[in-house]
Amino acid sequence: MAQVPQTFFDALAVRTWCGLALRALGHAREEIDAINVYPVADGDTGTNLYLTVESAAGAVEAVFDGHAAGRGGPAGPSLADALGAMAHGALIGARGNSGTILAQLLRGMAQVLAADGGTPHTDGAGLGLALRRAADSARQAVAHPVEGTILTVAAAAADGAAGADGDCGKVARSAYEGARAALARTPEQLAVLGRAGVVDAGGRGLVAVLGALVETLTGETPGGAPTDSHARVRVRVGEVTETAACHDGPQEDGPAFEVIYLLEADDEAVARLRRRLDALGDSLVVVGGDGLWNVHVHVDDAGAAVEAGIEAGRPYRIRITHFGLGDVHTTRGERPPAQRAQRAVVAVVPGEGLAGLYAEAGATAVLARPGEPPASGELVQAVRRAHAREVVLLPNDAELRHTAAAAAEQARAEGVRVALIPTRSAVQGIAALAVHEPDRRFDEDVVAMTSAAGATRYAEVTVAEHQSWTSAGICQAGDVLGLIDGDVAVIGSEVADTARTVLDRMLAAGGELVTLVLGDEAPDDIAERLRTRVRESYLAVDTVVYSGGRQGSLLLIGVE
């Protein structure tokens, strides 16, 4: 069915654009990965762009959900709200060189179209100005711009838009045609592309995103969309004409590591950081502003790149990838085994401590830091890293059920047998892992793990960030909240008292084992006080304590 066109570029068009861009990149992901030879032939540009747009789309949906819930006014989000969310989502979820640049392209658009925060939409002229600002700001974010890359394609899109008269649809189509023509010329501009016989992978991804914009604004899929045959060009080497082969290894003469992190810092500190990182390596891209930045660089000394970020401000969501060896933050630098394992467990965990615990139990852990839930693409990548024929997926969060379901469906399409156990808390995941036996039949193992998780009641002790209505009454900012099975059951002023009340209510229904997972901001004596409470008040009930690290809540409690 053809997409219904959006006459103007407004908040709804932004939402539609996100969905269509995500779909387009999903279809083109493998092709784009296959032609990725610059700046490093690590075969992940399509995946990185997909994950970046997935994060952007999630942020836009959150804005619409907020307005639907009455938190942003009855009229729905403005263009500034929606595009600002798209840019911010891309910034915090940006992956790789091209994903980071795409985030800055979106930020540039948002800066123009959000200048008048109350405007409901923009016209063709406004869209053209936004595309020009996008191209310029992206180029400025790259330490040493290179022609024949996504930057060239973005500039051509802006030029095409500037030469168009008419509504948003005509401007978007002119931008797309300019970008597509520039993409075809990239092998002539960048020698490594010409030798490989491919167009630039990042530019190819941008053309897909612009094609989605055309479809959003016109209701028509643009003609001449690049396909795999367009992405690979034929080159003459001596007397032999050959088509580029796959590139399955990193460049041999470049830096060994890719370092990416989010950074909270002021403009002056970031200017110093740019100079420091530029001296350390190459492919430096620093995007963002207003105190939040995404830093991407290729270096030989990954530690020095992270230390530079620490000197500049507060770096977090740090990812260090050794080219050719995968993500060392999650795989510890090991190559995946050549032979697939029969079965594996993939679990989302909320803190570094639990990530280590799950890994020791043999699971592939996906770290979800506070306010930073993983996207479905990250879960799919974790399933691939597990390298098994059968995978048990533990989301450990009720809010991740749809994300996990989408990841499971994609993994199944890739030939992996996946069972999704709808765990709502990390303590339920611990219970499931405790009975996991990879040597028994898959169905029997899944049933046993599901039963163990379902028999575990879960609770959380946290601090309210603002005044709110809850199932236990009105809470104020700073109140200590005790949630049992996802609902607020206790509102208190002291952490220990609230935790004890929560524990008593849970054990009133019986139990044999209490699991306590301590956050890094939990009181030092809380574990011992609760352990004593259990020992003195409940016969034949054991208590185990784990350190969860920076997990968002002060305390997680499980009762089996």
Side-chain angles (χ1 to χ4, degrees), residues 206-218:
L206 179 58
V207 169
V209 172
L210 290 171
L213 181 60
V214 174
E215 186 174 356
T216 298
L217 295 170
T218 68

Side-chain angles (χ1 to χ4, degrees), residues 43 87 89 163 171 279 330 398 417 449 548:
V171 170
T330 50
R417 187 180 185 187
M449 294 176 73

Side-chain angles (χ1 to χ4, degrees), residues 119-180:
T119 184
H121 56 74
T122 192
D123 57 13
L127 181 59
L129 290 174
L131 291 170
R132 170 54 64 193
R133 178 64 175 271
D136 292 346
S137 62
R139 185 170 290 269
Q140 291 166 6
V142 178
H144 302 285
V146 174
E147 297 305 328
T149 64
I150 186 174
L151 297 176
T152 306
V153 175
D159 291 343
D165 293 323
D167 59 21
C168 288
K170 292 180 180 178
V171 170
R173 190 178 293 278
S174 294
Y176 170 81
E177 293 296 342
R180 194 165 68 93

Side-chain angles (χ1 to χ4, degrees), residues 91-483:
L91 176 68
I92 64 174
R95 296 295 192 91
N97 197 327
S98 294
T100 307
I101 291 173
L102 178 61
Q104 188 67 5
L105 287 167
L106 294 172
R107 177 177 172 82
M109 291 185 68
Q111 287 175 326
V112 170
L113 299 181
D116 181 3
T119 184
H121 56 74
T122 192
D123 57 13
L127 181 59
L129 290 174
L131 291 170
R132 170 54 64 193
R133 178 64 175 271
D136 292 346
S137 62
R139 185 170 290 269
Q140 291 166 6
V142 178
H144 302 285
V146 174
E147 297 305 328
T149 64
I150 186 174
L151 297 176
T152 306
V153 175
D159 291 343
D165 293 323
D167 59 21
C168 288
K170 292 180 180 178
V171 170
R173 190 178 293 278
S174 294
Y176 170 81
E177 293 296 342
R180 194 165 68 93
L183 177 66
R185 294 192 296 269
T186 55
E188 303 168 12
Q189 297 172 295
L190 197 54
V192 65
L193 300 179
R195 289 194 299 270
V198 298
V199 297
D200 179 65
R204 168 67 181 90
L206 179 58
V207 169
V209 172
L210 290 171
L213 181 60
V214 174
E215 186 174 356
T216 298
L217 295 170
T218 68
E220 301 173 356
T221 302
T227 63
D228 185 64
S229 61
H230 290 99
R232 295 179 180 274
V233 297
R234 301 186 70 83
V235 292
R236 183 168 298 278
V237 181
E239 297 298 319
V240 181
T241 301
E242 55 186 40
T243 301
C246 293
H247 293 263
D248 55 4
Q251 60 186 23
E252 297 181 358
D253 57 350
F257 297 97
E258 177 185 59
V259 178
I260 305 174
Y261 49 80
L262 292 177
L263 177 69
E264 294 177 357
D266 59 36
D267 291 2
E268 185 175 334
V270 170
R272 293 194 299 270
L273 176 67
R274 288 179 190 269
R275 294 192 292 270
R276 173 87 178 272
L277 293 179
D278 192 28
L280 285 175
D282 60 29
S283 297
L284 173 61
V285 186
V286 181
V287 304
D290 301 321
L292 180 62
W293 309 82
N294 191 305
V295 179
H296 169 281
V297 67
H298 294 174
V299 293
D300 283 319
D301 189 344
V306 175
E307 289 171 4
I310 294 172
E311 291 177 7
R314 187 178 79 88
Y316 59 102
R317 291 189 73 172
I318 300 167
R319 299 184 67 88
I320 300 172
T321 302
H322 190 303
F323 292 120
L325 294 183
D327 183 355
V328 300
H329 179 71
T330 50
T331 66
R332 302 183 182 181
E334 300 174 357
R335 292 181 184 272
Q339 182 67 34
R340 279 185 178 272
Q342 181 59 33
R343 189 174 309 157
V345 176
V346 173
V348 180
V349 293
E352 293 87 348
L354 280 177
L357 175 67
Y358 272 71
E360 288 175 6
T364 297
V366 179
L367 189 59
R369 293 186 175 88
E372 303 169 8
S376 65
E378 293 177 84
L379 299 187
V380 172
Q381 285 191 323
V383 171
R384 292 171 183 152
R385 288 199 305 271
H387 207 58
R389 297 181 181 89
E390 302 167 339
V391 170
V392 180
L393 182 57
L394 307 175
N396 290 340
D397 186 339
E399 298 297 323
L400 288 177
R401 62 188 184 279
H402 296 307
T403 300
E409 199 60 39
Q410 183 171 341
R412 292 182 188 117
E414 296 177 5
V416 180
R417 187 180 185 187
V418 181
L420 171 60
I421 298 178
T423 48
R424 295 170 174 265
S425 170
V427 292
Q428 288 189 323
I430 292 173
L433 267 179
V435 301
H436 169 53
E437 293 185 13
D439 292 333
R440 64 183 165 196
R441 291 179 58 247
F442 184 64
D443 291 339
E444 293 176 356
D445 198 27
V446 171
V447 168
M449 294 176 73
T450 302
S451 178
T456 303
R457 299 189 69 196
Y458 62 97
E460 173 184 357
V461 177
T462 189
V463 177
E465 296 182 355
H466 49 75
Q467 183 186 57
S468 178
W469 287 91
T470 76
S471 53
I474 301 176
C475 71
Q476 305 295 328
D479 283 347
V480 181
L481 306 180
L483 292 82

Side-chain angles (χ1 to χ4, degrees), residues 514-532:
V514 172
T515 300
L516 304 176
V517 183
L518 307 180
D520 57 3
E521 295 184 359
D524 294 337
D525 62 345
I526 188 70
E528 188 55 39
R529 293 175 67 172
L530 294 178
R531 195 196 302 266
T532 300

